[in-house]
Amino acid sequence: MTAPDGELRPTLTTEAGAPVADNQNTETAGSGGPALLQDQQLFEKLAHFNRERIPERVVHARGAGAYGTFTVTADVTRYTRARFLSAVGKRTETFLRFSTVAGNLGSADAVRDPRGFAVKFYTEEGNYDLVGNNTPVFFIKDAIKFPDFIHTQKRDPYTGSTEPDNVWDFWGLSPEATHQVTWLFGDRGIPASYRHLNGYGSHTYQWVNEAGEQFWVKYHFKTDQGILNLTPAEAAELAGEDPDSHQRDLREAIERGEFPSWTVQVQVMPAADAAGYRFNPFDLTKVWPHADYPPIEIGRLELNRNPDNVFAEVEQSVFSPAHFVPGIGPSPDKMLQGRLFAYADAHRYRVGINADQLPVNRPHATEARTNHRDGRLYDGRHGRVKNYEPNSSGGPVQSGRPLWAATAVAGATGTHPAPAHPEDDDFVQAGDLYRLLAEDEKQRLIENLAAAIAGVSADREDIVERAVENFRRADADYGHRLATAVRELREQR
Ligand code: NDP
């Protein structure tokens, strides 16, 4: 068609592909009369617009993503038979989604919150999703507490706002959170951008080599851009001025050809060490100190391509910690075990049962050969192929080889309380983190925590006391300084 400016342009059509005659005026009965039901363009346009949103993620709703390449830099075949890790120099396409945790879809990027760091490796043996964070630990160690924890981070049922009383009540009554809370209120609690933070697999995972030997591993993605953080004042200003600051920074850096990268490391623990280790190695509130299991460099992850369509490729991207490939598997970590169910379940609800076959989610170098069929928005990709097994029609058959080894570990099963490991309390590593900080960083941590705790209601001194006591148990100096700072702030109110 020739546009009003004389340019030759494609013709606007309906969803059914027919030409649209008028996209400016509703069709009416006579000039200026009421709209006609036969105006298909009007109704299709309004109806489609009403359905543009899908449910946002309950957690990690706010995010940005980019495609990239993972390159192996060390031989790890003695630890895992995962083929994408099988040779130095081997490259695998990836997609990485960064996010904040607590905020809604339209919330600001520059806030104090952990960052999601979810990596999808499109390997030749299927997609491997490593759904991590920018912190090596978490607030809780058992998935059964997760909905309660998140309810304290979200809006109160009565006030409709986030409430310091709820946040600190929960943390005060959950001493295992002390380590992660120390991390969160330190300088790294507000990263300057998605490029300037580390990623951590956080959970302990299992690697299995060709001979069937089992190892426990933790992943670390160390930023090659360096760690850069915002002060609370800088963050407040940026969040107000440019709520999309992290998303914009990532996109623009890639557009400029400044491809952000991360050096990938693993800590490897022989399976036999687990039961006798000084910490429960499957406790998500604990790290493995580097002195015990030194990180080994294994690869480099570079992000080098922006998605073309944020809704299709970021909002509809789905990650599941249950997406393993041969040679990699789960551990008895109770948070991980819960997430193995919860992530895929969330996406079945949010995006639909065929979510794994959307372009951003589907495997690249292999095809999904299941007997699953149909469901909303099924694309008919299987054609006439039979959808049952066993069959005598040449259908796909099972491999017969488990992806990983059995996960029952002496001393790691059972319910509460956790099995005894000599140094397994909730405070020692929070204290270790506090003690490694420089004096000025300690001071900022105390100020950040005190400002947050001081927001608890005046008649809930019990909440304040319990919260401060946890930090006192992590380190006497830490607790004393925090108690003093909180008291001073509350007296000024
Ligand atoms: P190490 O001294 O061997 O390592 C310290 C680790 O702390 C480094 O990975 C460093 O990361 C990181 N770190 C430094 N400053 C901060 C900060 N302000 N906030 C968060 N992390 C920081 O010590 P250990 O391995 O014995 O661990 C001691 C404490 O360090 C732990 O209790 C834990 O809180 C923290 N930590 C430990 C990690 C681990 O996997 N062992 C990983 C991250 C933190 P970087 O090199 O990027 O500066």
Side-chain angles (χ1 to χ4, degrees):
M1 292 297 297
T2 308
D5 60 7
E7 200 185 323
L8 208 58
R9 306 252 212 107
T11 304
L12 184 73
T13 75
T14 62
E15 282 287 327
V20 169
D22 189 344
N23 193 36
Q24 320 302 322
N25 302 290
T26 296
E27 192 181 341
T28 57
S31 165
L36 292 176
L37 195 54
Q38 69 188 28
D39 188 347
Q40 192 205 338
Q41 167 64 356
L42 171 70
F43 295 121
E44 180 179 285
K45 199 170 173 181
L46 296 184
H48 198 282
F49 178 69
N50 281 342
R51 291 162 179 77
E52 284 183 357
R53 299 287 174 272
I54 59 174
E56 67 174 43
R57 293 162 167 89
V58 178
V59 284
H60 295 272
R62 170 80 191 151
Y67 296 92
T69 313
F70 171 75
T71 309
V72 177
T73 57
D75 181 1
V76 290
T77 52
R78 64 190 180 282
Y79 302 125
T80 177
R81 65 184 173 92
R83 244 183 265 158
F84 81 104
L85 296 171
S86 63
V88 173
K90 188 155 190 170
R91 292 153 73 92
T92 300
E93 291 177 279
T94 60
F95 181 73
L96 201 165
R97 182 175 182 270
F98 301 95
S99 51
T100 52
V101 177
N104 293 105
L105 186 57
S107 58
D109 289 337
V111 294
R112 187 176 301 284
D113 202 10
R115 298 298 187 274
F117 191 99
V119 192
K120 188 180 292 296
F121 298 85
Y122 301 97
T123 92
E124 66 263 55
E125 297 176 294
N127 290 348
Y128 173 44
D129 291 351
L130 184 58
V131 192
N133 275 337
N134 73 325
T135 63
V137 291
F138 197 61
F139 301 92
I140 50 175
K141 57 176 90 182
D142 191 322
I144 204 162
K145 295 183 81 170
F146 189 76
D148 300 298
F149 163 57
I150 292 300
H151 286 167
T152 72
Q153 299 290 304
K154 295 275 188 179
R155 297 169 194 281
D156 179 87
Y158 170 60
T159 66
S161 305
T162 51
E163 296 296 341
D165 286 19
N166 303 351
V167 169
W168 292 103
D169 193 22
F170 183 86
W171 282 343
L173 292 166
S174 306
E176 70 270 32
T178 311
H179 190 186
Q180 172 79 326
V181 175
T182 299
W183 211 102
L184 181 63
F185 283 83
D187 287 355
R188 296 190 191 193
I190 319 180
S193 84
Y194 288 138
R195 295 182 295 136
H196 295 92
L197 48 79
N198 292 339
Y200 300 92
S202 303
H203 298 289
T204 297
Y205 289 96
Q206 181 188 156
W207 274 6
V208 183
N209 66 15
E210 211 40 78
E213 292 167 309
Q214 193 185 50
F215 302 87
W216 302 115
V217 296
K218 280 191 180 292
Y219 297 87
H220 306 257
F221 294 71
K222 306 294 287 277
T223 173
D224 294 331
Q225 290 67 240
I227 297 277
L228 212 57
N229 306 305
L230 299 171
T231 65
E234 287 169 340
E237 196 179 332
L238 187 58
E241 273 179 8
D242 182 8
D244 300 338
S245 57
H246 286 24
Q247 176 176 289
R248 186 190 311 286
D249 172 86
L250 179 66
R251 177 175 52 77
E252 291 181 351
I254 292 173
E255 282 172 356
R256 286 195 303 271
E258 281 173 38
F259 300 145
S261 65
W262 284 261
T263 299
V264 186
Q265 306 170 333
V266 287
Q267 291 176 284
V268 182
M269 175 188 291
D273 286 13
Y277 184 45
R278 61 188 178 122
F279 301 112
N280 177 350
F282 311 113
D283 176 349
L284 186 57
T285 66
K286 304 248 170 32
V287 295
W288 300 350
H290 292 167
D292 294 352
Y293 294 96
I296 305 164
E297 186 180 325
I298 65 157
R300 184 169 177 274
L301 176 70
E302 177 190 271
L303 297 181
N304 46 33
R305 180 163 66 89
N306 283 315
D308 291 322
N309 187 294
V310 170
F311 180 84
E313 294 162 79
V314 181
E315 184 64 3
Q316 293 197 123
S317 63
V318 302
F319 296 83
S320 169
H323 286 170
F324 292 113
V325 290
I328 305 180
S331 78
D333 174 338
K334 285 182 186 161
M335 275 299 293
L336 174 60
Q337 292 282 326
R339 294 176 79 208
L340 297 179
F341 158 73
Y343 274 60
D345 185 59
H347 301 315
R348 286 179 200 117
Y349 162 68
R350 199 176 66 81
V351 188
I353 196 66
N354 285 305
D356 284 324
Q357 297 311 322
L358 291 171
V360 66
N361 300 322
R362 72 169 72 120
H364 286 188
T366 177
E367 70 180 285
R369 260 177 256 107
T370 71
N371 291 320
H372 312 325
R373 289 295 187 277
D374 307 348
R376 195 161 287 183
L377 298 183
Y378 174 60
D379 63 3
R381 62 192 167 275
H382 301 93
R384 298 182 182 194
V385 174
K386 305 282 189 207
N387 57 355
Y388 61 90
E389 215 232 333
N391 70 46
S392 57
S393 308
V397 292
Q398 64 199 32
S399 78
R401 187 176 186 192
L403 270 58
W404 60 78
T407 52
V409 178
T413 51
T415 52
H416 203 73
H421 293 261
E423 296 179 37
D424 227 11
D425 74 44
D426 288 325
F427 305 105
V428 58
Q429 292 198 356
D432 289 345
L433 178 56
Y434 176 76
R435 288 181 288 273
L436 77 73
L437 302 180
E439 174 49 35
D440 59 330
E441 201 175 349
K442 281 182 181 159
Q443 187 54 34
R444 290 191 292 274
L445 168 66
I446 302 281
E447 285 166 12
N448 295 336
L449 277 172
I453 298 174
V456 169
S457 300
D459 62 350
R460 293 307 308 267
E461 202 54 42
D462 60 315
I463 292 179
V464 172
E465 254 317 301
R466 277 194 298 270
V468 171
E469 178 60 18
N470 285 340
F471 300 103
R472 202 177 279 127
R473 293 181 68 179
D475 184 281
D477 172 67
Y478 188 9
H480 174 72
R481 288 170 66 173
L482 181 60
T484 307
V486 172
R487 197 179 326 112
E488 283 172 7
L489 283 178
R490 283 172 76 80
E491 280 168 6
Q492 287 164 20
R493 293 191 154 219

